[in-house]
């Protein structure tokens, strides 16, 4: 019997993602089903930002939907499987990092991203430079950051993201608020046990202070595109899909 290879077709679904989202509007489907479809496509607008590891000079790229909060990024987290982890980990942290990576390998993505679970991570011993203010920030690995989503690395802004805030409180990492309610007082505004994820005005962000987050988004995205890291852009506007 002659066996012939099965003809298969592969579609680059992200090339049609915007059309898929637009097409949902005209469908007579329950809103819950359409919401599930939008979440599955996972379209998000933001910017890619490149942080430079201080000793190797290696660029670590992150995708963020909130580039306006860049001044509030006080640490970075890489997924334990990120290919740069062995390169940047210091000698005194190597054993702890490897032990953590082995432990994480047995967990499912669902287990790792469960919102209510206790956050865990390990410091790599390395630091990155925040591109907008030159601040030296520590680089950690943590299981709630996944290699398969985005770049496998995040800039952590604990004042405005609850998972990052829980992590920061556990490991005594800095928390710098950069957005406050429009009627708030910058001199007294503080973050307690709950991250502030509402709209308002920018604070502690130098040239962005006083702007609404939407205006700050545009200004910082344009600035990142103009800056350079070697011969490459420091960052750029970007659309990401799940």
């Amino acid at each position: 019997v002659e066996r012939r290879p099965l003809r298969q077709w592969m579609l680059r679904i992200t090339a049609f993602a915007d059309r898929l989202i637009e097409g949902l509007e005209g469908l007579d489907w329950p809103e819950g089903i359409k919401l599930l479809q939008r979440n599955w496509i996972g379209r998000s607008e933001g910017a890619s930002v490149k942080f430079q590891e201080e000793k190797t000079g290696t660029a670590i790229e992150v995708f963020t939907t909130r580039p306006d909060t860049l001044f509030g990024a006080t640490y970075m987290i890489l997924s334990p499987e990120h290919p740069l982890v062995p390169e940047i980990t210091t000698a005194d942290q190597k054993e702890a990092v490897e032990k953590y990576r082995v432990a994480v390998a047995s967990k499912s993505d669902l287990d790792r991203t469960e919102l209510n679970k206790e956050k865990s991570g390990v410091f790599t011993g390395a630091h990155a430079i925040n591109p907008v203010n030159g601040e030296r920030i520590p680089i950690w690995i943590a299981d709630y950051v996944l290699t398969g989503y985005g770049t496998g690395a995040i800039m952590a802004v604990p004042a405005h993201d609850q998972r990052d805030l829980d992590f920061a409180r556990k490991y005594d990492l800095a928390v710098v608020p950069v957005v406050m309610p429009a009627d708030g007082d910058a001199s007294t505004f503080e973050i307690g046990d709950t991250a502030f994820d509402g709209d308002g005005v920018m604070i502690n962000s130098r040239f962005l202070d006083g702007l609404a987050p939407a205006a700050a988004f545009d200004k910082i995205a344009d600035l990142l595109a103009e800056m350079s890291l070697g011969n490459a852009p420091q960052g750029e506007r970007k659309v990401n899909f799940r």
Side-chain angles (χ1 to χ4, degrees), residues 33-239:
I33 297 298
K34 291 196 281 188
L35 179 61
L36 286 173
Q37 289 294 305
R38 292 189 185 96
N39 290 340
W40 174 74
I41 295 168
R43 186 185 192 278
S44 54
E45 295 185 23
S48 65
V49 184
K50 292 175 182 175
F51 290 73
Q52 193 170 15
E53 198 279 320
E54 67 171 350
K55 291 186 177 179
T56 64
T58 301
I60 304 175
E61 184 174 1
V62 306
F63 172 79
T64 176
T65 58
R66 295 296 306 274
D68 51 296
T69 64
L70 193 50
F71 282 94
T74 57
Y75 62 98
M76 294 189 73
I77 297 182
L78 306 187
S79 70
E81 305 88 354
H82 196 290
L84 288 179
V85 171
E87 177 183 337
I88 67 173
T89 298
T90 59
D92 60 332
Q93 288 296 107
K94 183 176 181 180
E95 182 177 351
V97 166
E98 285 304 313
K99 183 177 181 180
Y100 186 78
R101 294 179 82 191
V102 170
V104 169
S106 63
K107 297 182 181 180
S108 69
D109 286 358
L110 183 60
D111 289 336
R112 290 172 57 172
T113 55
E114 173 60 44
L115 291 177
N116 295 324
K117 80 177 188 69
E118 184 178 355
K119 305 297 180 290
S120 68
V122 174
F123 179 41
T124 65
H127 291 79
I129 305 302
N130 186 322
V132 294
N133 59 14
E135 293 289 334
R136 183 174 179 260
I137 61 176
I139 304 173
W140 286 65
I141 60 172
D143 58 359
Y144 74 89
V145 176
L146 305 178
T147 300
Y149 183 69
T151 65
I154 67 168
M155 65 175 211
V157 185
H160 307 293
D161 182 279
Q162 192 61 47
R163 291 191 308 175
D164 293 344
L165 180 61
D166 293 341
F167 192 91
R169 295 301 190 207
K170 179 174 180 177
Y171 294 107
D172 196 25
L173 298 167
V175 177
V176 178
V178 290
V179 184
M180 71 171 186
D183 58 354
D185 182 347
S187 65
T188 59
F189 181 68
E190 295 181 352
I191 299 295
D193 294 328
T194 303
F196 176 70
D197 60 1
D199 202 1
V201 296
M202 306 301 300
I203 58 173
N204 299 322
S205 300
R206 300 184 184 178
F207 54 87
L208 300 179
D209 285 354
L211 295 177
F217 180 110
D218 291 334
K219 192 167 185 177
I220 199 70
D222 290 341
L223 175 65
L224 288 168
E226 294 171 3
M227 296 169 67
S228 63
L229 182 63
N231 295 319
Q234 188 84 34
E236 60 182 348
R237 293 174 183 265
K238 196 172 184 180
V239 175

